Amino acid sequence: MSTPLISIRDLHVEFPHRRTVVTAVRGIDLDIHPGECVAIVGESGSGKSVTARTLVGLAGPGAVVRSERFDVNGRDARQFGEEQWRRLRGGFAGLVLQDALVSLDPLRTVGAEIGEVLRVHGHRGDRKERVRELLRTVHVPEPERRAGQYSHQLSGGLRQRALIASAIAGGPPLLIADEPTTALDVTVQAQILDLLAERRAAGETLLLISHDLAVVARLADRVLVMRDGLIVEAGETGTLLSAPDHPYTKKLLKAVPSAATRGRQLSGTGSTASIEPSAEAVIEASGLTKRYGKHTVVQDVDLTVRRGEIVGLVGESGSGKTTVAQLLFGLVAPTAGSVRFEGADWTGVPERRRRALRRRMQFISQDPLSSFDPRWTVRRIVAEALPRGAVVEPLLERVGLGADLLDRHPRRLSGGQRQRVAIARALAPRPSLIICDEPVSALDVSVQAQVLDLLADIRATDGTALLFISHDLGVVHHLADRVLVMHDGAVVESGPIDDVFHRPQHDYTRALLGAVPTLEAL
Amino acid sequence: MIVLRRLGAGLVVLWVAATAAYLALLAAPGSTVDSIIGDGADTPLIRSQIIQEWNLDRPAVVQYLDYLWRFGHGDLGRSYLLQRPVRDVIGDQIFPTVKLALAAAGLGIVLAVLLALTTRRPWSRRVSSTAELVLVSTPPFLIGLVLLSVFSFQFGLFPVSGDRGLAALVLPAITLALPVAGVLTQVLRDGIDRALEEPFVVTARARGLRERAVLARHALRHALLPAVSLLGWLCGTLLGGVVIIETVFGRPGLGQVTLQAVGSEDMPVVLAVVVFSAAAYVLLNTAADLALLVVDPRLRASTS
């Protein structure tokens, strides 16, 4: 076998902080051979990103890097000074980060950002022409015009392509992509994955970092599963995904929601209890339309949620999902159409008359932290939603939180704990409907599994109806009874979940479903 | 469109400033006739002549409207004290002041950018931020006096007063520039710190950029955004500063004229100076807004 591009033994990365030391990576081995695609998969805090950045000497300010062997391109990188590292960056390894909106300098044109790599690495010849060529390589249409634009003027997919162009501009033998598709819509994600697959097919070496097993499954030859700074399992992609050895890998794979996981717990072994939704509607919207000036954001949406039913609302960013939630919640008034909630008129009546019913409809957002007063304790946050004098503890227990968290402030809770507090607060007034807007999108897959199990359980035991808004089709297929697919402000298809997802009628639904990376395809 | 709107708003500001100054002077104790007579001969005949000549017998509203009308046509009136057109008085004195203000602003900005870029290491940073704090919290006249006693009286490097040649400009400009540099350096450094936390800096470093280039090409531009918004403040500081500095260094200029005019209730001159300051302020703020559009392309998108 040829010399590996990267060969690392027993890598440790530590961040001394005041008197303590935070250990991000605690002894991993990593070999990357030319032409192969290696993926590191792990949840947040597993050390996967730090590992990737250490490979280009950018572990971070104050980082202490130790290893038994750290060979880059056959040379011992432990002896490297800043100047040697600098020459490797962009020249030997290109780095692609998550979300190009913040990973490209917003004050500089895309062309200037890509051209910068050429300038640093002493590109001879016409730099502008080379930039256009690079943009063409990553399939950016109209490279001439795009090179003169700023990152905020490009769509998410084009931005990410431009970022990849800047990473490959120096012609590096190794491309490191750290969560390259995480901020993207599913159809755009599929395009970027195609692009990476194309680079790999051309013989390029790829190191892929992701939290999503399904994303790497398509591309990687080998997968390394990381947890708490250690590699718990490594192996060929097919073997690792079909026959995982380590309990953590098994748990991760089991936690991924999909059609196959309907009716069973994601975080445990049991099945989730289910109830038959009644025929009585909790909320009923007809002909909902919202225009801002000439812009139609929501177009003629009909939507019904029955008692005890979970209805999924899926669509990509900008499809109008969140506006629908705001219209149902009565935060904005519709331009046309009406909503009835619990049998009473909900739109077109004064807020004074709605107030009594407000407690029956609750809301959970993607980012609960910003919906809490940062100075309040968990106790106060939940107690505010309860009748005066009621105790908080049983409710917290209901959502799986211990009483020891009662006096904590939201900032000192983990993402999963915060979302549980938000759920507890939403449950407190005994609502008949909870509108959940991307409630698990910011969570790691194992935490997401627990929160989804909790939501399923709440529906089954309390009979609470859920309107579940999500861009993640797997999550919706796992949880929902019925689904509505939104595109450009309109509902293009709706019906029972299995009908829509297994026998989609509309082209857009088909495109959406086709773009989802799955583990089952293997 | 945006330029027209700014122009309209600027005119409103000028009118408000002129009116406010007019009202304030009207409310001030002492009669206009006394101010015009000053130290000259005071007889009932002269008094009535003055009232005739300056139209002081007309109602205050008519006088105010007349004043606005003439102001609008560029006629700033005549100084009570100097018996010369205000336009000439200001015209004579404006150049030394503008020269001083521009020199101080330029020096302050250059100093701030250099300091913010070079004092990145912990110890140099600590030294610099302490010095900045001291400069910001020291009254400018004190800085001026210290500089004078060291460089003029002790070493005789620069003239003590007057406005002859470049050498006479050095100490006053430094005196005015130091507090400006102090504030700007802190704003710039803070902006650079925040920019360096952004993901695009990791991307820039991953391209193989030298640290110097990361600072100058990426971080500094982001740090300029909050600093540019301070241009209006800068204008106020400089205008307020020159009044004191010109006195300390015995320089001719608007500061001297203003002091004298306020002391002797020379209304036309005071009004002209107030309106001039307001105009400078409006102009600089508009310039700052336009500069922001140049630096930040994201703002361009939202205005067009």
Side-chain angles (χ1 to χ4, degrees):
Chain A
M1 201 180 254
S2 56
T3 345
L5 292 175
I6 300 274
S7 182
I8 292 174
R9 292 293 173 272
D10 200 24
L11 174 73
H12 291 258
V13 184
E14 289 166 352
F15 296 92
H17 182 69
R18 304 228 174 105
R19 277 184 208 151
T20 60
V21 174
V22 179
T23 311
V25 180
R26 43 185 99 221
I28 64 164
D29 300 344
L30 176 65
D31 286 307
I32 303 174
H33 295 278
E36 102 181 306
C37 176
V38 180
I40 302 181
V41 174
E43 299 190 288
S44 50
S46 62
K48 56 188 195 303
S49 281
V50 173
T51 305
R53 287 176 195 197
T54 305
L55 295 187
V56 287
L58 287 175
V64 180
V65 180
R66 286 183 290 117
S67 59
E68 253 174 49
R69 178 159 92 208
F70 198 136
D71 289 354
V72 175
N73 219 4
R75 288 157 61 206
D76 188 358
R78 287 176 301 175
Q79 317 297 329
F80 280 3
E82 176 56 27
E83 188 58 25
Q84 280 157 305
W85 274 119
R86 197 184 63 72
R87 256 179 249 142
L88 281 183
R89 293 177 202 142
F92 169 76
L95 186 63
V96 178
L97 295 178
Q98 187 182 337
D99 193 4
L101 184 62
V102 286
S103 298
L104 288 170
D105 192 333
L107 302 186
R108 289 155 55 92
T109 61
V110 166
E113 287 283 277
I114 301 172
E116 189 170 68
V117 191
L118 301 174
R119 201 172 40 75
V120 170
H121 294 281
H123 172 75
R124 283 168 219 279
D126 189 351
R127 214 182 286 155
K128 276 197 174 147
E129 178 48 42
R130 178 78 187 122
V131 167
R132 286 195 288 273
E133 217 176 282
L134 281 160
L135 283 173
R136 262 191 295 270
T137 314
V138 295
H139 308 301
V140 170
E142 303 175 84
E144 187 90 17
R145 189 163 75 88
R146 296 302 184 187
Q149 286 185 318
Y150 296 91
S151 55
H152 73 270
Q153 294 171 303
L154 304 183
S155 68
L158 284 183
R159 260 198 310 260
Q160 204 66 20
R161 284 170 196 274
L163 186 63
I164 292 174
S166 88
I168 60 173
L174 173 66
L175 185 63
I176 304 174
D178 188 355
E179 302 274 8
T181 61
T182 301
L184 303 175
D185 276 326
V186 56
T187 50
V188 182
Q189 162 170 298
Q191 294 163 14
I192 297 295
L193 290 178
D194 284 343
L195 175 64
L196 289 175
E198 187 186 312
R199 315 255 4 129
R200 179 170 130 51
E204 245 175 67
T205 316
L206 217 60
L207 174 64
L208 207 59
I209 314 286
S210 181
H211 70 283
D212 192 336
L213 276 166
V215 162
V216 304
R218 252 188 70 192
L219 283 171
D221 302 305
R222 283 192 298 130
V223 175
L224 294 81
V225 181
M226 251 186 114
R227 183 200 193 182
D228 292 337
L230 283 171
I231 290 173
V232 296
E233 186 168 2
E236 260 179 64
T237 309
T239 331
L240 187 126
L241 293 182
S242 55
D245 246 352
H246 196 276
Y248 179 67
T249 318
K250 286 181 191 162
K251 189 180 134 205
L252 267 190
L253 283 167
K254 214 170 75 62
V256 178
S258 67
T261 59
R262 280 183 71 79
R264 78 162 169 80
Q265 281 188 326
L266 293 166
S267 58
T269 46
S271 60
T272 53
S274 186
I275 56 165
E276 202 55 40
S278 75
E280 184 197 353
V282 178
I283 199 163
E284 213 173 349
S286 59
L288 272 189
T289 299
K290 181 68 190 173
R291 282 190 207 98
Y292 291 102
K294 281 184 214 146
H295 244 56
T296 304
V297 186
V298 170
Q299 175 77 46
D300 205 14
V301 167
D302 297 328
L303 183 153
T304 306
V305 184
R306 299 186 190 90
R307 273 193 206 287
E309 189 182 32
I310 301 182
V311 174
L313 184 60
V314 300
E316 300 188 289
S317 50
S319 61
K321 312 188 291 285
T322 296
T323 309
V324 167
Q326 289 173 334
L327 288 169
L328 294 179
F329 209 70
L331 295 176
V332 290
T335 314
S338 65
V339 179
R340 287 178 69 78
F341 177 56
E342 299 244 321
D345 280 333
W346 186 248
T347 43
V349 298
E351 183 59 32
R352 171 165 53 79
R353 277 180 46 201
R354 281 205 289 224
R355 202 158 292 141
L357 270 179
R358 279 245 179 248
R359 302 179 63 78
R360 306 281 294 155
M361 190 196 301
Q362 293 294 312
F363 189 77
I364 300 172
S365 68
Q366 172 175 353
D367 171 24
L369 187 60
S370 55
S371 71
F372 299 144
D373 186 325
R375 285 181 200 81
W376 286 18
T377 59
V378 169
R379 183 196 301 277
R380 198 167 165 202
I381 289 168
V382 179
E384 191 195 30
L386 280 167
R388 193 156 307 177
V391 275
V392 172
E393 283 85 348
L395 201 54
L396 279 190
E397 201 177 314
R398 176 83 184 74
V399 298
L401 289 179
D404 51 319
L405 298 178
L406 271 175
D407 294 310
R408 288 240 191 122
H409 290 272
R411 206 164 284 285
R412 289 193 46 224
L413 300 175
S414 70
Q417 287 170 335
R418 282 174 198 158
Q419 204 52 285
R420 280 166 199 267
V421 173
I423 294 173
R425 181 174 61 176
L427 282 179
R430 306 191 154 278
S432 56
L433 172 70
I434 303 179
I435 298 175
C436 317
D437 192 356
E438 302 273 7
V440 293
S441 303
L443 303 177
D444 277 323
V445 60
S446 60
V447 182
Q448 163 180 297
Q450 295 163 6
V451 171
L452 289 177
D453 286 349
L454 174 62
L455 288 174
D457 181 55
I458 284 168
R459 186 270 288 266
T461 47
D462 303 359
T464 314
L466 300 180
L467 177 66
F468 195 94
I469 300 172
S470 180
H471 70 284
D472 188 329
L473 302 188
V475 168
V476 171
H477 206 164
H478 167 79
L479 198 64
D481 304 313
R482 279 193 307 122
V483 67
L484 290 86
V485 182
M486 277 192 85
H487 181 49
D488 287 342
V491 173
V492 295
E493 189 163 357
S494 66
I497 187 95
D498 281 329
D499 287 357
V500 174
F501 278 10
H502 289 312
R503 289 171 293 280
Q505 300 301 311
H506 196 277
D507 286 343
Y508 178 73
T509 316
R510 265 184 232 126
L512 208 57
L513 287 163
V516 178
T518 56
L519 291 166
E520 282 124 48
L522 286 159
Chain B
M1 187 55 216
I2 185 172
V3 177
L4 274 181
R5 218 169 38 218
R6 293 307 305 244
L7 214 66
L11 282 177
V12 172
V13 169
L14 287 186
W15 170 70
V16 169
T19 307
Y22 192 87
L23 290 177
L25 286 171
L26 212 63
S31 82
T32 315
V33 183
D34 287 339
S35 313
I36 296 174
I37 289 173
D39 298 333
D42 186 2
T43 68
L45 181 67
I46 294 180
R47 275 189 175 265
S48 68
Q49 276 174 347
I50 287 177
I51 289 172
Q52 277 284 305
E53 188 186 338
W54 298 82
N55 290 327
L56 293 176
D57 49 349
R58 293 188 302 171
V61 181
V62 176
Q63 285 191 48
Y64 164 70
L65 289 177
D66 182 51
Y67 149 77
L68 274 190
W69 174 257
R70 280 188 286 119
F71 223 109
H73 290 76
D75 177 6
L76 305 184
R78 268 164 46 119
S79 162
Y80 296 159
L81 190 69
L82 306 168
Q83 299 295 339
R84 286 172 59 206
V86 173
R87 203 206 303 228
D88 294 351
V89 176
I90 297 215
D92 286 349
Q93 302 294 324
I94 203 167
F95 182 63
T97 298
V98 168
K99 191 166 68 175
L100 175 60
L102 283 183
L107 190 65
I109 290 167
V110 169
L111 205 63
V113 170
L114 283 180
L115 274 178
L117 284 180
T118 50
T119 56
R120 299 295 310 165
R121 296 190 177 282
W123 65 267
S124 61
R125 190 190 169 102
R126 227 166 291 150
V127 171
S128 179
S129 20
T130 312
E132 289 149 29
L133 261 180
V134 170
L135 286 176
V136 170
S137 38
T138 312
F141 73 86
L142 190 62
I143 299 176
L145 289 178
V146 170
L147 288 178
L148 263 181
S149 68
V150 174
F151 293 101
S152 297
F153 297 126
Q154 203 78 29
F155 299 112
L157 290 174
F158 300 104
V160 174
S161 70
D163 178 31
R164 253 162 291 145
L166 214 55
L169 188 63
V170 174
L171 287 185
I174 292 178
T175 309
L176 259 181
L178 284 180
V180 169
V183 173
L184 280 184
T185 312
Q186 299 206 316
V187 172
L188 283 175
R189 176 178 299 126
D190 187 53
I192 290 177
D193 285 351
R194 257 179 298 141
L196 288 182
E197 301 271 306
E198 300 274 338
F200 65 79
V201 167
V202 178
T203 316
R205 290 200 176 117
R207 291 188 191 126
L209 244 63
R210 287 198 173 77
E211 197 56 28
R212 236 178 311 144
V214 171
L215 280 176
R217 271 173 217 283
H218 293 272
L220 180 62
R221 221 168 140 190
H222 286 260
L224 279 181
L225 293 175
V228 167
S229 318
L230 278 181
L231 264 180
W233 161 84
L234 178 70
C235 170
T237 307
L238 288 177
L239 280 175
V242 285
V243 175
I244 297 162
I245 298 305
E246 284 176 357
T247 312
V248 171
F249 286 91
R251 287 172 60 85
L254 273 192
Q256 297 279 25
V257 171
T258 312
L259 269 186
Q260 227 171 46
V262 170
S264 55
E265 285 179 49
D266 192 350
M267 186 152 113
V269 176
V270 175
L271 284 175
V273 169
V274 167
V275 173
F276 168 77
S277 310
Y281 197 81
V282 168
L283 209 71
L284 261 175
N285 264 321
T286 311
D289 286 355
L290 293 178
L292 273 183
L293 287 183
V294 172
V295 180
D296 193 343
R298 289 167 296 186
L299 297 174
R300 272 175 249 163
S302 60
T303 50
S304 64

